[in-house]
Structure formats: structure tokens, C-alpha cells
Amino acid sequence: MDDNRKQISKTKTQTNGQLISSSMIRSFLAGSLSGTISCMVLQPLELVKTRLQKSSNLGSKRGMFSIVADVIRQEKIWSLWNGLVPSLYRTVPGIGIYFTTLHGVMSTFGSDNPHPVESMVIGASCRSFAGVMVLPFTVMKTRYESGEFNYKSLIHALRTTHSKEGIKGLYSGLTPTLMRDVPYAGLYLMFYTKLKYLTSDISGQYNIVFNFCNGVLAACLSSSITQPADVIKTHMQLYPREFGRVKNAVIHIYRESGLIGFQRGFVPRTLRRTLMSATTWSVYEEVMRKYHKDRR
């Protein structure tokens, strides 16, 4: 009897382990798929945001539509997608790693109706891990988008940066990137889970439209709070010799544009973040919902 019980217990443990592994693989694939679609569609907004922040550093006060017109006129319409390759290398595995880590942590330690602090800590922790893993691609993406670096390929960009600036160059802007992404992820998950809980009470069931709207609102709130860190990050990644420290970038931005300078690029970034986060989470939730439904 004891042997039978041990065998049954062992079988259950193996089955649970397989289910968790399968679910985490699904989380990675769902996050990567949604990230790929969003990234390809919304890349022009990221390029415009980067150029707005770069132009601010050069003393220009051009607006969003002026930059779009200049890119199309002076370059080509396809130039609006400059930086797409490093953006995909950053976003696809980054979102996949984030959702995989998030799923594992929430499945193991999370609660059904998490406290806002719990959501913030989990979201921030998972984003920290994913952000550090893909930061070199974030640096390359920013430089591609700026139009100031004539790289032949992503490999050439990575090699050139490493040979001229070392590992430090590949991880330039690490502090403001984490200052932007970690609070954003924590705030987003906090707002999103709370809104999801409230709307499920209203609708009484899962609703993809409610989910998308929850994602939009959560992203708007989170983006507005973390925008200054994004401006600082761009300056440090484009001009690491001038702004090797956060303090130097902050002083420069304030002297050039005042407090409004820390909101430079807010509109395109918020549009991209809002649509990308809402789409990503909607696709992720739908894929995972169907997966769990099929397992029953």
C-alpha cells in the first residue's frame, strides 16, 4: 500500500510539473506572439518619440507631425520603421521572458485577488529580470531610431559599440531604463489587475473588450508617471560621453527645457505603450484562457 501511495504521489508530482512547464511555455509563446505583432505595427511611434527627445537635446522645438513629415521627405516612408530589428530582438524575447517569469511567480506565490502592493512587487521584479537581459538591444534600438548611427546590421552595431565603448556602452542607460520600466511594470500590473477585478464584477464573466480597455487605462496611467525616466534614458544612450550619469542628463534637460523637457515625446510614447500593452495583454489573456479551457 505504501509503495502504491508513493507511486501515485510521484505520478501526481510529475504531472503537475509537466502542466506548469507546459503552461510557462505557453506564456512565453503568447507573450512573444503578441509582442511581435504590436512591435511591427507601432514601431513608427517609437522612432518619432526618440527623435523628439533627440531634437530637444539639440535645442529644436519641432512637433510630432513635423518629424514624421521630415522622415518621409528626407528619407523614405520605410524609414519610420528604422530600429525595428533591434526592437524585435528586444521586445519578443523580453516580453516572453517577462510573461514566463510573471506566470511562474504568480502561480507559485500570487493570490486570486492580489493586493496592489503585491501586484507592484511582482510586476516590478519580473520586469527587472527581463529588462537587464535585453538591455543591449534596447541601446541599439534607440541609436537606430535616432538616425545618427550608420550601422550596417545589428551584429555590426553590437560589435562597433563593444569595441569603442566596451560592455559599459552596451549597458548605457541601465539605471534610467530600470527607473522607467520597473515602476511602469509594477504600476501597470497593479492598475490592470485591480481594473480587471472590478470589471469582472460588473460584467460577471470574461470579456476581451473590457480587458483591452483595462490595458489602455492602466498603460496611460503608468506611462504618465514614468515619462521623465524615458527622456533621461534616451539622452544617456545616444550621448553616453556627455551624459554618463543620471545627474548630468537631468541637469542638462532641465537647463535646456525646464520641467516640460522631461515630458518630451510623451504623446507618441503613451500611444505606443497604451496600444502595445493593451494588445499584448489581451492576446496573452485570450491564449492562456483557451489553453486552460482546453485542459479541462
Side-chain angles (χ1 to χ4, degrees):
M1 288 293 290
D2 289 339
D3 290 340
N4 288 336
R5 287 176 181 174
K6 287 181 181 179
Q7 185 62 37
I8 291 171
S9 177
K10 184 178 179 181
T11 302
K12 285 182 178 179
T13 302
Q14 290 175 343
T15 302
N16 289 335
Q18 290 172 352
L19 288 174
I20 292 171
S21 297
S22 177
S23 184
M24 290 184 73
I25 291 171
R26 286 279 181 147
S27 297
F28 182 88
L29 294 176
S32 297
L33 173 63
S34 57
T36 301
I37 296 170
S38 302
C39 187
M40 293 179 70
V41 174
L42 302 172
Q43 177 59 24
L45 288 171
E46 186 71 3
L47 179 135
V48 171
K49 180 216 70 173
T50 298
R51 300 233 177 156
L52 274 171
Q53 294 173 351
K54 184 190 83 170
S55 67
S56 175
N57 181 60
L58 300 175
S60 173
K61 304 298 181 183
R62 288 190 305 163
M64 179 174 163
F65 294 107
S66 172
I67 286 178
V68 171
D70 283 351
V71 171
I72 295 174
R73 183 173 61 252
Q74 297 175 11
E75 302 172 43
K76 295 179 181 179
I77 192 169
W78 303 114
S79 296
L80 290 169
W81 276 266
N82 278 348
L84 177 61
V85 173
S87 189
L88 286 172
Y89 273 95
R90 164 188 175 264
T91 302
V92 176
I95 291 180
I97 292 168
Y98 171 71
F99 275 117
T100 303
T101 310
L102 184 68
H103 179 79
V105 172
M106 292 190 75
S107 298
T108 307
F109 304 106
S111 53
D112 293 334
N113 180 25
H115 187 276
V117 175
E118 178 187 335
S119 296
M120 280 197 68
V121 171
I122 291 176
S125 301
C126 295
R127 185 59 203 171
S128 296
F129 177 70
V132 172
M133 293 280 286
V134 298
L135 185 65
F137 297 115
T138 304
V139 176
M140 296 304 103
K141 177 190 75 69
T142 303
R143 294 187 177 188
Y144 263 92
E145 291 164 354
S146 71
E148 289 194 12
F149 298 82
N150 297 315
Y151 296 130
K152 297 177 182 178
S153 65
L154 180 58
I155 298 298
H156 175 249
L158 291 167
R159 285 177 176 172
T160 301
T161 302
H162 182 264
S163 63
K164 292 183 177 180
E165 303 172 41
I167 293 294
K168 186 178 179 180
L170 294 174
Y171 282 86
S172 58
L174 173 61
T175 300
T177 299
L178 292 179
M179 285 168 56
R180 177 197 67 175
D181 289 349
V182 173
Y184 177 89
L187 289 166
Y188 182 91
L189 189 61
M190 180 188 73
F191 289 133
Y192 181 80
T193 51
K194 185 54 65 176
L195 288 167
K196 182 182 174 183
Y197 179 75
L198 292 173
T199 52
S200 65
D201 282 349
I202 295 170
S203 63
Q205 57 184 356
Y206 173 86
N207 188 310
I208 193 171
V209 176
F210 273 124
N211 253 25
F212 187 84
C213 292
N214 292 340
V216 168
L217 183 55
C220 283
L221 293 169
S222 305
S223 294
S224 62
I225 296 171
T226 57
Q227 180 63 23
D230 185 71
V231 179
I232 297 167
K233 175 211 68 104
T234 299
H235 280 69
M236 292 183 71
Q237 290 179 346
L238 290 181
Y239 312 106
R241 292 183 180 178
E242 295 178 53
F243 311 118
R245 296 181 179 180
V246 173
K247 178 183 176 182
N248 295 342
V250 170
I251 293 172
H252 173 81
I253 294 166
Y254 183 75
R255 284 178 176 172
E256 288 293 318
S257 309
L259 291 176
I260 195 67
F262 293 99
Q263 294 298 320
R264 193 73 171 167
F266 172 77
V267 173
R269 176 176 178 253
T270 300
L271 280 172
R272 180 181 179 274
R273 277 286 191 175
T274 298
L275 295 173
M276 189 168 189
S277 295
T279 303
T280 299
W281 274 87
S282 295
V283 172
Y284 171 77
E285 294 263 27
E286 186 67 13
V287 170
M288 295 306 294
R289 185 181 70 86
K290 288 184 176 180
Y291 168 71
H292 289 301
K293 185 178 179 181
D294 293 341
R295 296 296 304 182
R296 291 172 185 169

